[in-house]
Amino acid sequence: MSARLLLTASFAGLLSLSLPALAQGPVSDSATSEVKITVKDGVFEVDSTNRRFTVVQYWPQGSGDFIHMLIKEEMASVERDDSEGPVKSNVTISTWKIGADGSRKPGPGFNLTGDSGSPAGLAGNDAFYRIIEYGCCGALDRSTFFSLESGKPLLAVSGEPATLEVPNSEGIMREAGVLPSWAADRDTTFLKFKDAVAIVTYADRTHMLQRAVLKGPADKSYDDLLNEIMSEPAASFHKAGGGDAETQFTLWSADGKKDPAMITDAVFEIVFTPDYKIEIPVVADKLDFAHATLPKGFTLEALPVN
């Protein structure tokens, strides 16, 4: 190779190294919504599917670089004039992670019976999605939270879950909540345990960690018990040994610790009424069901996680 050709080749190589990578074209997508209205014997039936796109960003645990995620939300329902609430309804989610170079890679997806859905920020973290099924005939609404990081269901609750955060730990957080038997639900656990009062769940950012069924006294009528405790239960955490109950609780005793086993010295609290309060210690990142403080005759039985 001549000296001139060698110089040209070397310059081209240096130039290619110095130029930034060319950005990819914009990420684009589209989705249509549909509705079909049928009238039969004077009854209107509306079959609709609504689709939309949302973009969120979140910081994965242990990372300083945030993730951009494109979410496609599809909400389908069938409603009739002669029915209270939808005859059927479903929420289906598809996701894509958008890279720093503009690339698009499929993320987790999930679907569930529900009436509406939206990204959920828990303690300022948008790595979650919430699907709501509205209660009818006196039933409370049910919210099911999914992880946008894993696509896994985390917990189902009425009202709001309680959040425990470990400060300066690069994102360690826990969610706990309660789903009473009088909430809208299709969980077969309530079919297996006829005397179940509620289901208690403990989860991290990506997976369900623990579940338990709360049962009432064996010597008391289930209907009489419900008349006493049927309400919107409130879930919270507080410091072991006392302190204010908080729906967003910061575990300062574990400040800066990155080992989940340091999640201790806290209590998960559930209040149905002032006379019906549950307190479950958190020990080494587990709800200690065996040492829970319960109303007389109540029991907690651990369940397999989903």
Side-chain angles (χ1 to χ4, degrees), residues 3-304:
R4 182 178 180 183
L5 287 176
L6 179 61
L7 179 62
T8 302
S10 300
F11 178 74
L14 289 172
L15 185 62
S16 66
L17 290 174
S18 63
L19 288 175
L22 293 177
Q24 296 191 9
V27 174
S28 62
D29 209 330
S30 63
T32 58
S33 297
E34 302 106 23
V35 64
K36 180 174 70 175
I37 301 174
T38 306
V39 183
K40 185 176 181 181
D41 298 328
V43 176
F44 279 70
E45 179 177 287
V46 180
D47 186 344
S48 63
T49 301
N50 290 293
R51 300 179 179 91
R52 69 186 182 195
F53 293 96
T54 305
V55 177
V56 300
Q57 64 182 40
Y58 62 86
W59 278 262
Q61 182 176 316
S63 174
D65 298 323
F66 57 78
I67 299 291
H68 282 100
M69 176 168 279
L70 172 65
I71 305 173
K72 179 182 178 181
E73 304 167 83
E74 180 178 301
M75 301 173 200
S77 68
V78 176
E79 300 180 81
R80 291 171 54 93
D81 279 352
D82 57 354
S83 297
E84 181 177 352
V87 176
K88 63 179 181 178
S89 58
N90 198 74
V91 178
T92 302
I93 301 301
S94 304
T95 69
W96 295 266
K97 293 181 180 179
I98 309 303
D101 61 351
S103 61
R104 166 175 163 167
K105 297 180 181 178
F110 45 86
N111 66 80
L112 187 73
T113 297
D115 300 306
S116 68
S118 62
L122 297 174
N125 190 313
D126 290 331
F128 308 97
Y129 194 89
R130 178 181 196 154
I131 295 177
I132 301 176
E133 182 178 358
Y134 300 121
C136 70
C137 313
L140 298 174
D141 296 347
R142 179 203 73 193
S143 292
T144 303
F145 289 84
F146 285 80
S147 168
L148 289 174
E149 296 180 77
S150 67
K152 301 291 185 182
L154 301 180
L155 72 172
V157 301
S158 67
E160 299 296 327
T163 302
L164 181 153
E165 289 185 282
V166 179
N168 303 306
S169 64
E170 297 183 348
I172 293 178
M173 61 188 292
R174 297 292 181 263
E175 298 295 326
V178 56
L179 181 72
S181 59
W182 51 93
D185 188 62
R186 286 170 171 76
D187 193 318
T188 57
T189 303
F190 288 119
L191 300 177
K192 297 176 183 176
F193 298 93
K194 300 298 184 181
D195 55 348
V197 173
I199 296 172
V200 178
T201 311
Y202 184 67
D204 64 15
R205 291 171 49 136
T206 58
H207 293 84
M208 184 184 298
L209 299 177
Q210 289 177 278
R211 295 177 86 217
V213 59
L214 176 67
K215 300 180 182 179
D219 60 352
K220 190 164 192 170
S221 161
Y222 185 71
D223 290 338
D224 289 345
L225 176 62
L226 291 191
N227 286 334
E228 295 179 16
I229 68 172
M230 188 177 286
S231 64
E232 179 82 84
S236 60
F237 285 99
H238 64 76
K239 184 175 173 58
D244 295 334
E246 302 176 48
T247 55
Q248 294 192 4
F249 175 74
T250 302
L251 186 64
W252 285 106
S253 61
D255 184 16
K257 303 293 180 15
K258 298 179 177 61
D259 180 2
M262 299 304 295
I263 301 178
T264 191
D265 193 34
V267 174
F268 175 52
E269 180 181 284
I270 304 165
V271 178
F272 292 96
T273 71
D275 294 328
Y276 289 93
K277 182 169 73 172
I278 316 296
E279 291 191 318
I280 309 171
V282 182
V283 179
D285 197 22
K286 292 186 181 298
L287 294 182
D288 187 357
F289 298 128
H291 294 93
T293 300
L294 303 169
K296 184 179 178 180
F298 278 64
T299 58
L300 276 167
E301 179 180 333
L303 298 171

